[in-house]
Amino acid sequence: MESDNEKVSTKERLLVAAEKLFAEKGFQEVSLRDITKEANANVASVNYYFSSKDVLADEVITRHISPVNDARLEALETLKKKYGDAAFPLREILQAFMKPMVEQMHSSGLRSDLFGKVMGRCMADRGKKMPVQVEPQMKAVLGAFISELIKALPNLDAETVLWRLHFSFGVVAHTLLFSDRIADFTEMPLEGMGMDASLERVVDYCCGGLLAEVSAEQQGGEQ
Amino acid sequence: MESDNEKVSTKERLLVAAEKLFAEKGFQEVSLRDITKEANANVASVNYYFSSKDVLADEVITRHISPVNDARLEALETLKKKYGDAAFPLREILQAFMKPMVEQMHSSGLRSDLFGKVMGRCMADRGKKMPVQVEPQMKAVLGAFISELIKALPNLDAETVLWRLHFSFGVVAHTLLFSDRIADFTEMPLEGMGMDASLERVVDYCCGGLLAEVSAEQQGGEQ
DNA sequence: GTCTATAAAGAGATAGAC
DNA sequence: GTCTATCTCTTTATAGAC
């Protein structure tokens, strides 16, 4: 496992080692010594290539999340070509949002259950800071999806749509972070547990959630 | 703010200070010095009363989550008295699960947006370890709710119910953790943003998600 | 019970030889 | 680019005076 490390650059090995360890243990729990040992590199190499542990984490996050966000916007463009200015089917909007994440999970060399943890833990551990490159990206993506969701859900007011997108985000985040642990809380034997098998389940659930009726207590005058 | 600290015991002040700081910054990020300073206590006091930082965190988590779990089981008992062996209305099951959490949020002295973070962060930061007292509790609670959900959702197979409960957990967890940040990703002006205002929203959404149709790809022979 | 002082270990980062 | 050695800082935890 360590033997084919010689062909790839030290910088690359550090990134791979860091994302693996961050995913497994979290950002704070992993020391530069852990990372450089895992990468078969010298203790000083992180500072040589990245100048600090924090910048390393930024790069780890960015190089996973950026392609996902790009693919999301592309998927939305594809829907635009297919449906023009009409509202897109809700299910396809959700898939445009989620499928890129699952695909990135596969193209990254990580075990699929580690992918979500890289981002989740790096970000949670380091408090609010998202890499500066990523924040405007996320804003653009969420803005684009909110617009389409509002069009696809004409019976809901914009604030409710925003909340429900937020909830859907929670579903995905939680699933990415804990899909390997769902079995811990039950005696039931479970079959396909990967994020892979659960994508359709997630989409089903979120469709239902987004389309749900608004209960009496919430209804204002606007819808 | 520091002035009425003298009447409560040092141990209590340490717990309060710890939960506040853990919520704000996470478990790893907060040192014993931070905690004892916030609590107006001596640096050595945490080790005197709790013997380690880790045990302190266990107590912080346990004393919030235990009453919530107790109240959840009680709420389920109340439904049992009301409906006997018949299936409970889905909405009431969800409220039995979520309302105790919101109420605990209020009875804890914490700002409401901090409550969820205490548990979320302490647990995420420290890896998989949940306090030993809490794990069987959680198993009992989830088991009880799964049974009722299966009865309330006769069209769904048990595995799908389990997944969807898991998703609903994700909605709540994410909402607790980030309901104060939802506004960061939009230009929309938002009104009631607390966990309070959003409880009905969460219940609506989760009802919809749990009741959602199962898409073609997921359907096995069993339902 | 509360304090000071300090032990012991570990962290991130850097200087300078090679 | 890579290494060793080390600096500086902070952490948790403890020992012992009061």
Side-chain angles (χ1 to χ4, degrees), chain B residues 31-33 44 47 52-53:
Chain B
S31 70
L32 293 182
R33 282 167 175 79
N47 281 282
S52 80
K53 184 186 176 186

Side-chain angles (χ1 to χ4, degrees), chain A residues 28-29 91 121 124-128 130 138-139 142 146 158-160 162-164 166-171 173-175 178-182 184-188 190-193 197-198 200-202 204-206 208-210 212-215 217-218, chain B residues 28-29 91 121 124-128 130 138-139 142 146 158-160 162-164 166-171 173-175 178-182 184-188 190-193 197-198 200-202 204-206 208-210 212-215 217-218:
Chain A
Q28 298 276 351
E29 287 82 350
R91 190 170 189 87
R121 301 199 90 150
D125 288 3
R126 299 189 311 153
K128 315 214 156 208
M130 195 180 296
M138 288 301 304
K139 253 193 164 132
L142 288 178
I146 288 169
E159 189 165 341
T160 298
L162 181 56
W163 270 103
R164 291 183 175 185
H166 190 235
F167 296 153
S168 303
F169 218 85
V171 175
H174 196 253
T175 304
F178 296 112
S179 65
D180 58 325
R181 279 216 265 162
I182 177 174
D184 290 3
F185 294 110
T186 178
E187 264 82 36
M188 257 190 263
L190 291 168
E191 292 157 35
M193 293 301 305
S198 52
E200 287 303 315
R201 290 187 184 280
V202 171
D204 285 351
Y205 181 90
C206 292
L210 284 161
E213 296 205 8
V214 177
S215 71
E217 294 98 301
Q218 283 297 317
Chain B
Q28 297 277 349
E29 286 83 350
R91 189 171 190 88
R121 303 200 89 151
D125 286 5
R126 299 188 312 153
K128 314 214 157 205
M130 195 180 296
M138 288 301 305
K139 255 192 162 131
L142 287 178
I146 288 169
E159 189 165 340
T160 298
L162 181 56
W163 272 105
R164 290 182 177 185
H166 190 235
F167 296 153
S168 303
F169 217 86
V171 174
H174 196 253
T175 304
F178 296 113
S179 64
D180 58 324
R181 279 215 266 162
I182 176 174
D184 291 0
F185 294 110
T186 177
E187 264 82 37
M188 258 190 262
L190 291 168
E191 293 155 37
M193 294 300 305
S198 53
E200 287 302 315
R201 290 186 183 279
V202 170
D204 285 351
Y205 181 91
C206 292
L210 283 160
E213 297 205 6
V214 176
S215 71
E217 293 98 301
Q218 284 297 319

Side-chain angles (χ1 to χ4, degrees), chain B:
Chain B
M1 217 161 235
E2 247 76 25
S3 56
D4 50 23
N5 269 345
E6 291 133 55
K7 300 214 71 166
V8 308
S9 70
T10 301
K11 186 172 181 179
E12 182 66 21
R13 289 198 327 268
L14 288 170
L15 282 166
V16 170
E19 73 189 8
K20 181 187 165 199
L21 294 175
F22 288 162
E24 286 172 358
K25 309 187 191 182
F27 174 75
Q28 297 277 349
E29 286 83 350
V30 173
S31 70
L32 293 182
R33 282 167 175 79
D34 296 333
I35 295 167
T36 50
K37 188 181 168 193
E38 170 80 26
N40 261 332
N42 189 268
V43 257
S45 53
V46 165
N47 281 282
Y48 177 76
Y49 285 105
F50 300 96
S51 82
S52 80
K53 184 186 176 186
D54 227 64
V55 173
L56 169 61
D58 277 353
E59 287 211 32
V60 167
I61 297 170
T62 303
R63 73 182 201 143
H64 280 300
I65 213 170
S66 279
V68 171
N69 279 335
D70 291 346
R72 281 169 171 160
L73 292 176
E74 266 175 49
L76 222 49
E77 280 305 309
T78 305
L79 290 180
K80 193 148 241 147
K81 274 172 197 135
K82 194 166 159 193
Y83 296 104
D85 286 336
F88 308 158
L90 180 59
R91 189 171 190 88
E92 296 192 39
I93 299 175
L94 286 174
Q95 281 168 334
F97 191 81
M98 294 173 184
K99 249 192 172 161
M101 206 151 40
V102 178
E103 276 156 17
Q104 169 67 10
M105 247 171 50
H106 288 134
S107 62
S108 79
L110 288 172
R111 278 207 342 266
S112 69
D113 62 314
L114 289 186
F115 168 79
K117 301 196 182 189
V118 174
M119 294 181 296
R121 303 200 89 151
C122 285
M123 311 235 329
D125 286 5
R126 299 188 312 153
K128 314 214 157 205
K129 321 175 253 189
M130 195 180 296
V132 280
Q133 315 93 298
V134 173
E135 202 174 314
Q137 240 179 54
M138 288 301 305
K139 255 192 162 131
V141 168
L142 287 178
F145 276 85
I146 288 169
S147 301
E148 294 308 327
L149 285 173
I150 287 174
K151 269 163 57 185
L153 296 163
N155 292 331
L156 298 177
D157 60 289
E159 189 165 340
T160 298
V161 172
L162 181 56
W163 272 105
R164 290 182 177 185
L165 175 60
H166 190 235
F167 296 153
S168 303
F169 217 86
V171 174
V172 180
H174 196 253
T175 304
L176 283 170
L177 271 164
F178 296 113
S179 64
D180 58 324
R181 279 215 266 162
I182 176 174
D184 291 0
F185 294 110
T186 177
E187 264 82 37
M188 258 190 262
L190 291 168
E191 293 155 37
M193 294 300 305
M195 184 57 197
D196 238 6
S198 53
L199 175 66
E200 287 302 315
R201 290 186 183 279
V202 170
V203 173
D204 285 351
Y205 181 91
C206 292
C207 269
L210 283 160
L211 288 167
E213 297 205 6
V214 176
S215 71
E217 293 98 301
Q218 284 297 319
Q219 279 167 334
E222 68 259 44
Q223 74 145 343

Side-chain angles (χ1 to χ4, degrees), chain A:
Chain A
M1 217 160 232
E2 246 77 25
S3 57
D4 49 24
N5 269 346
E6 292 132 53
K7 301 213 70 167
V8 309
S9 69
T10 301
K11 184 171 181 179
E12 182 66 21
R13 289 197 326 268
L14 288 170
L15 283 166
V16 171
E19 73 191 6
K20 182 188 163 197
L21 294 175
F22 288 162
E24 286 172 359
K25 311 188 190 181
F27 174 75
Q28 298 276 351
E29 287 82 350
V30 172
S31 70
L32 293 182
R33 284 165 177 82
D34 295 333
I35 295 167
T36 51
K37 188 181 167 191
E38 170 80 24
N40 262 331
N42 190 269
V43 258
S45 53
V46 165
N47 281 282
Y48 177 76
Y49 285 105
F50 300 97
S51 83
S52 80
K53 185 186 178 187
D54 226 65
V55 173
L56 169 61
D58 277 353
E59 287 211 31
V60 167
I61 298 170
T62 304
R63 72 183 203 143
H64 280 299
I65 215 169
S66 278
V68 171
N69 280 335
D70 292 347
R72 281 169 171 160
L73 292 177
E74 267 173 50
L76 224 48
E77 280 306 309
T78 305
L79 290 180
K80 194 148 240 146
K81 274 172 195 134
K82 196 167 159 191
Y83 296 103
D85 287 335
F88 308 159
L90 179 58
R91 190 170 189 87
E92 296 192 40
I93 299 175
L94 286 173
Q95 281 169 333
F97 191 81
M98 294 172 184
K99 250 194 171 161
M101 206 151 40
V102 177
E103 277 156 16
Q104 168 67 10
M105 249 170 50
H106 288 134
S107 63
S108 81
L110 288 172
R111 276 205 346 267
S112 68
D113 62 312
L114 289 186
F115 168 79
K117 302 198 181 187
V118 174
M119 293 181 296
R121 301 199 90 150
C122 285
M123 310 236 328
D125 288 3
R126 299 189 311 153
K128 315 214 156 208
K129 319 176 253 188
M130 195 180 296
V132 279
Q133 315 92 300
V134 173
E135 201 174 314
Q137 243 178 53
M138 288 301 304
K139 253 193 164 132
V141 168
L142 288 178
F145 276 85
I146 288 169
S147 301
E148 294 307 327
L149 285 173
I150 288 175
K151 269 165 55 186
L153 297 162
N155 292 332
L156 298 178
D157 60 289
E159 189 165 341
T160 298
V161 172
L162 181 56
W163 270 103
R164 291 183 175 185
L165 175 60
H166 190 235
F167 296 153
S168 303
F169 218 85
V171 175
V172 179
H174 196 253
T175 304
L176 284 170
L177 272 165
F178 296 112
S179 65
D180 58 325
R181 279 216 265 162
I182 177 174
D184 290 3
F185 294 110
T186 178
E187 264 82 36
M188 257 190 263
L190 291 168
E191 292 157 35
M193 293 301 305
M195 184 58 197
D196 238 6
S198 52
L199 174 65
E200 287 303 315
R201 290 187 184 280
V202 171
V203 172
D204 285 351
Y205 181 90
C206 292
C207 269
L210 284 161
L211 288 167
E213 296 205 8
V214 177
S215 71
E217 294 98 301
Q218 283 297 317
Q219 278 168 336
E222 68 259 39
Q223 72 144 341

